[in-house]
Amino acid sequence: MSTDDFLARFGAEGQRQPDPVAAAQQAMRNPLPARFYKEAGVLERDGLFHVALDGRTARTPARKPLAVGSRPVAEALAAEWEAQTERIDPAHMPVTRLVNSALDGVADQQAAVRAEVVRYAGSDALCYRAGEPEALVARQNTLWQPILNGVEARIGARFVLAEGVVFAEQPAGLLAAVARRVEAIPAPLALAGAHNVMTLTGSTIVMLALADGAIDAEAAWRAAHLDEDYQIEVWGQDEEAAERRANRKREFDAAVLLLSKG
């Protein structure tokens, strides 16, 4: 199987929508092909860093060159391809899937992707606080409030907070301020990373704090899983849930790479 045949076969969903999750699920349903190349590397050409398989530029499912303007992202892509053994498993290639989605989907749907990020801000997880128990309330205030305060200061607008699950409508001015900040996120790579960070954390606020360098990836992950971590402390965590979380973390790390280096 050639490089182009493989990329046309796996992740075709990625060219129709910015969210890479559907592409990953589709790829995982396909039979895994044998590795068809000896080595993967990075070639610099025409101002871009190309992922090369045996010297040939790989292509996305939409047959665009798998080439990016960021060397760190290109090196991460090549490392994923090089790490494949007898079979090529897209489930273990989160950076590749996300970059394919960026190049084939986000690049042509920037307005829709930015709009979705802003819509998330209208029901952001950090705006919905627990009323009890006191330990959880205190933890949310300690961890979430500084992140929220920082984002509000940088965009010049205030979020409305709510207790429990009662919907709190955010002011139009707040959403407009978020939209202005989101508009500054470069496309397609960083924007694809931003979208996936937002989806995995349930929070545009956390994503913006990460994009601004106000928090690091570890702090963003911890903020996003504050409630879950509290429940684990109380009730424990089963093996299946731990595996799902580990999978999400790999997707998160890929998204952070694109957001910060794309």
Side-chain angles (χ1 to χ4, degrees):
M1 179 182 291
S2 70
T3 305
D4 292 351
D5 288 342
F6 172 80
L7 290 172
R9 181 178 176 186
F10 283 86
E13 292 293 322
Q15 59 189 293
R16 292 198 291 270
Q17 58 182 349
D19 186 353
V21 174
Q25 293 172 340
Q26 177 63 37
M28 291 170 68
R29 288 193 290 267
N30 292 320
L32 299 180
R35 175 168 170 159
F36 54 87
Y37 53 92
K38 293 182 179 179
E39 62 179 5
V42 175
L43 295 177
E44 185 174 0
R45 184 188 305 138
D46 302 325
L48 295 173
F49 300 98
H50 294 242
V51 177
L53 306 179
D54 293 337
R56 292 183 57 208
T57 298
R59 292 187 177 273
T60 70
R63 306 189 69 78
K64 297 178 181 179
L66 189 55
V68 297
S70 166
R71 179 180 284 278
V73 174
E75 290 176 345
L77 286 165
E80 285 188 345
W81 286 88
E82 185 63 28
Q84 302 305 298
T85 54
E86 290 85 1
R87 297 282 173 179
I88 303 171
D89 188 354
H92 296 158
M93 304 172 75
V95 179
T96 298
R97 295 197 314 272
L98 189 51
V99 170
N100 282 345
S101 179
L103 298 179
D104 290 351
V106 175
D108 297 326
Q109 301 178 46
Q110 295 182 35
V113 176
R114 295 186 198 279
E116 185 173 358
V117 175
V118 176
R119 280 196 298 273
Y120 250 73
S123 56
D124 197 283
L126 265 64
C127 294
Y128 293 85
R129 306 298 177 86
E132 58 179 359
E134 291 185 6
L136 178 58
V137 173
R139 190 175 301 187
Q140 288 179 345
N141 288 335
T142 299
L143 185 55
W144 285 357
Q145 200 59 43
I147 296 174
L148 178 63
N149 290 345
V151 170
E152 289 178 334
R154 288 188 293 276
I155 66 174
R158 297 289 297 274
F159 284 85
V160 175
L161 304 186
E163 185 176 302
V165 295
V166 178
F167 178 69
E169 185 173 358
Q170 298 298 334
L174 176 280
L175 296 178
V178 171
R180 288 191 293 272
R181 175 62 187 89
V182 172
E183 188 64 31
I185 298 175
L189 296 186
L191 183 57
H195 180 273
N196 225 30
V197 167
M198 173 205 72
T199 302
L200 290 164
T201 63
S203 175
T204 293
I205 294 169
V206 168
M207 182 277 292
L208 290 178
L210 184 59
D212 291 339
I215 58 175
D216 59 16
E218 181 180 352
W221 182 258
R222 188 166 60 250
H225 292 81
L226 184 153
D227 289 355
E228 181 179 314
D229 288 340
Y230 179 81
Q231 294 300 324
I232 290 172
E233 291 174 14
V234 174
W235 302 106
Q237 183 182 43
D238 61 41
E239 187 173 328
E240 185 176 341
E243 183 177 355
R244 288 196 301 269
R245 178 161 169 159
N247 289 336
R248 291 199 311 271
K249 183 59 164 59
R250 285 190 286 271
E251 301 293 333
F252 175 79
D253 289 342
V256 170
L257 174 66
L258 265 63
L259 177 60
S260 61
K261 302 296 184 182

